[in-house]
Amino acid sequence: MRVGNGFDVHRLVVGRPLILGGVHIPFEMGLEGHSDGDALCHAIADAILGACALGDIGQWFPPDDSLYEGANSLELLKTVVKSAKERGFQLGNIDSVIICERPKLSPHFASVRKSLSEATGLGQDRVSVKARTTEGLGAIGQGEAVAVEAVVLIE
Ligand code: MG
């Protein structure tokens, strides 16, 4: 068995949609980024690449490559899962923590887990999404950014 961990942080800005795990979450701000800014998909993809010792998503999908401008990160995650499977790796489970002051994310967990389950081929009972605030502390606590930590098990 192999374990991989992923981390990502994106700035919250006005004029962008908030997309996490491929799900559009209604909010007055969204995540800045070259792609759609989906930090949850990025952290999970990085965790999978880490477990397989295949580098990181910056190498796979370079942010200075116009091909990935506005990219749908759920599709990037699917590419990573497919590449891992082609190398004989099988996903065991995903656990993640979204660190975010606002909006309240728990009402969206079910749809995010369903989306990630469909993208990865894992049962929803193997896809965990949680959220925490930083109690108002730091840039994330001030609502300036969203961070995500993810861990995956690969068999
Ligand atoms: Mg990112």
Side-chain angles (χ1 to χ4, degrees):
M1 289 191 288
R2 291 161 171 248
V3 67
N5 96 89
F7 175 78
D8 198 17
V9 58
H10 281 249
R11 197 181 291 267
L12 262 177
V13 294
V14 173
R16 295 267 298 182
L18 177 59
I19 299 170
L20 289 168
V23 173
H24 182 212
I25 293 168
F27 190 50
E28 67 258 29
M29 291 190 285
L31 297 177
E32 195 173 54
H34 183 66
S35 67
D36 60 7
D38 189 335
L40 179 55
C41 281
H42 295 173
I44 292 170
D46 242 1
I48 295 168
L49 291 173
C52 303
L54 289 171
D56 62 46
I57 56 167
Q59 292 167 264
W60 280 62
F61 314 108
D64 55 357
D65 188 333
S66 60
L67 189 61
Y68 303 114
E69 191 172 344
N72 177 337
S73 299
L74 198 68
E75 293 301 321
L76 303 185
L77 174 60
K78 286 180 192 173
T79 300
V80 166
V81 169
K82 185 167 174 279
S83 301
K85 281 182 180 163
E86 283 168 359
R87 288 167 171 81
F89 296 115
Q90 192 178 340
L91 231 55
N93 75 300
I94 297 168
D95 186 23
S96 60
V97 187
I98 303 167
I99 306 154
C100 169
E101 198 67 27
R102 281 193 321 134
K104 190 171 175 58
L105 295 173
S106 54
H108 305 284
F109 285 168
S111 46
V112 170
R113 289 176 66 208
K114 182 168 184 285
S115 168
L116 291 172
S117 164
E118 286 166 2
T120 58
L122 281 172
Q124 287 185 48
D125 62 338
R126 289 170 179 259
V127 178
S128 163
V129 177
K130 315 188 294 297
R132 286 286 177 276
T133 71
T134 58
E135 303 286 341
L137 295 169
I140 292 171
Q142 298 301 310
E144 295 172 18
V146 170
V148 180
E149 293 180 347
V151 178
V152 305
L153 188 78
I154 299 273
E155 295 163 316

